[in-house]
Amino acid sequence: MRSLKLAVIGDPIAHTLSPQIHHAIAGKLGVDCSYTAHHVPLAQLESFVEMVRREGFDGFNITIPHKQNIIPYLAGLDPYAASCGAVNTVRIQDGNLYGYNTDGDGLKAALAAHGIHLGERKVLLLGAGGAALSICRKAVETGAEVHLLCRDPRKAAAFRGPHVTIGAMDRAGLCWGASQADLLINATPLGMSGIPDDFTDLSFLDGFSGAVCDIVYKPAETTLFRESRQRGLLAMNGLGMLIYQAVYAFSIFLGESFDLDEMAAHVTKVMEQSLYGG
Ligand code: NAP
């Protein structure tokens, strides 16, 4: 039986779903897997890296705030991760660390599972944080046009480039953007459980006839998701992206491919039960 010694790091890390998702993947593949969550403040990142080398870990996932901080420790960086300036998956081979970012492929595969091909789309992307940048890079790489809206366009310098336009996320920006796009992706935390902010005016959806992807996955039905469905739009939440990015990460750790869609369907059942109770 193959065995893998894996981890996830972040600060905070208490609410991570990664151990549950990766154990579900390993169980289905018959891989003997230990996957542990580690609270790693920035000052302890170097000693964590020394520990995983010493203890023979096969790899680890990374969440906020270390997706950029890990880069100086890497012996190699995948070109897409380099273009995002962020790493969410590290494979360790012979004591060397190699960085990848599976968020973009995760989103692309989750969309494809709903019949949506990212590369053919005019995307209205909301938010200019780390998740939005990964999505923007993957969208452009696959041939999409992106119109990015954020609260402060001055913060969106990293997004500038061919096939990307940038505007302010106000009512006029949302209405105009929605009228031009055929895929809306929310990559802000608006509507997420535990934060006070949510969309207050979704009337911009009245001029929209495409698909809606909210990368927030808790709750299962955000205000954006619910109002999109009520308008008869195809809508999906962020659980698919979360699961597919983990499935891609596991195939990197394993160094082997497997049926990613079949695996994602299996893990989705496990996580829907765990997160939403049904
Ligand atoms: P981040 O780096 O903190 O970026 C958040 C972005 O949202 C920033 O552009 C921020 O703008 C904007 N924002 C925050 N509050 C806002 C508001 N009230 N109105 C308008 N814009 C607002 O976070 P992230 O890592 O990109 O994650 C964003 C969301 O995606 C989170 O909810 C996260 O849980 C979710 N996510 C899901 C997946 C998945 O697999 N499904 C993966 C990654 C992230 P400012 O810079 O102006 O604050």
Side-chain angles (χ1 to χ4, degrees), residues 128-172:
L133 187 59
S134 305
I135 291 167
C136 184
R137 292 282 190 264
K138 185 56 65 175
V140 170
E141 183 188 294
T142 53
E145 300 286 328
V146 176
H147 185 55
L148 178 89
L149 296 181
C150 59
R151 292 198 282 204
D152 182 356
R154 287 171 303 180
K155 286 191 189 167
F159 290 76
R160 294 194 191 287
H163 309 289
V164 181
T165 52
I166 298 169
M169 192 172 148
D170 52 20
R171 189 174 146 66

Side-chain angles (χ1 to χ4, degrees), residues 70-246:
I70 197 68
I71 291 174
Y73 297 96
L74 302 176
L77 184 57
D78 165 77
Y80 167 74
S83 78
C84 298
V87 165
N88 75 346
T89 301
V90 172
R91 186 179 183 195
I92 308 172
Q93 279 179 300
D94 304 322
N96 293 315
L97 276 57
Y98 299 93
Y100 303 83
N101 187 321
T102 63
D103 279 342
D105 279 334
L107 178 81
K108 188 178 161 202
L111 289 168
H114 282 76
I116 300 165
H117 297 287
L118 181 59
E120 297 159 10
R121 295 288 171 154
K122 290 195 166 95
V123 180
L124 179 62
L125 178 60
L126 309 184
L133 187 59
S134 305
I135 291 167
C136 184
R137 292 282 190 264
K138 185 56 65 175
V140 170
E141 183 188 294
T142 53
E145 300 286 328
V146 176
H147 185 55
L148 178 89
L149 296 181
C150 59
R151 292 198 282 204
D152 182 356
R154 287 171 303 180
K155 286 191 189 167
F159 290 76
R160 294 194 191 287
H163 309 289
V164 181
T165 52
I166 298 169
M169 192 172 148
D170 52 20
R171 189 174 146 66
L174 285 163
C175 287
W176 184 83
S179 72
Q180 304 298 308
D182 56 16
L183 174 61
L184 167 66
I185 302 176
N186 174 42
T188 76
L190 285 167
M192 188 168 100
S193 299
I195 71 144
D197 297 342
D198 199 351
F199 291 93
T200 49
D201 176 9
L202 285 164
S203 59
F204 66 88
L205 289 175
D206 296 341
F208 184 65
S209 56
V212 175
C213 174
D214 193 340
I215 73 163
V216 172
Y217 53 84
K218 202 167 180 195
E221 294 196 4
T222 58
T223 307
L224 173 64
F225 178 99
R226 200 173 46 251
E227 292 225 10
S228 301
R229 281 263 169 105
Q230 279 167 2
R231 286 167 165 82
L233 302 172
L234 172 62
M236 54 186 281
N237 70 16
L239 185 62
M241 175 180 173
L242 179 75
I243 289 173
Y244 270 103
Q245 62 79 25

